[in-house]
Amino acid sequence: MCSDGGPVDPSPSIDQAINSGYGWLEIRCSRCKTPRAVDLAALPHAATTCVHDLAGRLRCMKCGKVGKRPAAELLQLWQRSPIGDRA
Ligand SMILES: [Zn+2]
């Protein structure tokens, strides 16, 4: 799971992604499809956490407000934010 680096599949660890220059993860809510860019370096995480492990941890704030907790869909790793840090 945590072996080779490279965009999302196979899943690198968070530190591997950051160290290879891919510090941003683009995700999308599996329920409302709202896209979001996550700054991996700003996330509290263990060095060995896989990027894939984040899917169950990153919750959509919009859905959270209505009591839903859908998992995030991981789309792609980026070298810079694909959509800015709002959303
Ligand atoms: Zn949502």
Side-chain angles (χ1 to χ4, degrees):
M1 287 292 285
C2 278
S3 54
D4 300 321
V8 184
D9 204 10
S11 182
S13 72
I14 292 176
D15 278 9
Q16 280 174 332
I18 293 170
N19 290 338
S20 42
Y22 291 89
W24 288 85
L25 176 65
E26 183 181 10
I27 62 173
R28 183 174 62 185
C29 174
S30 60
R31 179 174 172 269
C32 71
K33 308 299 181 193
T34 300
R36 185 174 149 202
V38 179
D39 182 357
L40 294 177
L43 283 179
H45 66 271
T48 52
T49 302
C50 283
V51 170
H52 274 179
D53 293 339
L54 293 172
R57 289 172 48 188
L58 298 168
R59 302 297 181 181
C60 174
M61 291 167 69
K62 206 163 146 185
C63 291
K65 281 180 188 160
V66 293
K68 308 290 185 186
R69 296 177 63 79
E73 293 175 8
L74 304 183
L75 299 183
Q76 200 175 341
L77 288 164
W78 294 87
Q79 290 176 296
R80 48 185 296 183
S81 173
I83 51 180
D85 46 352
R86 49 172 235 91

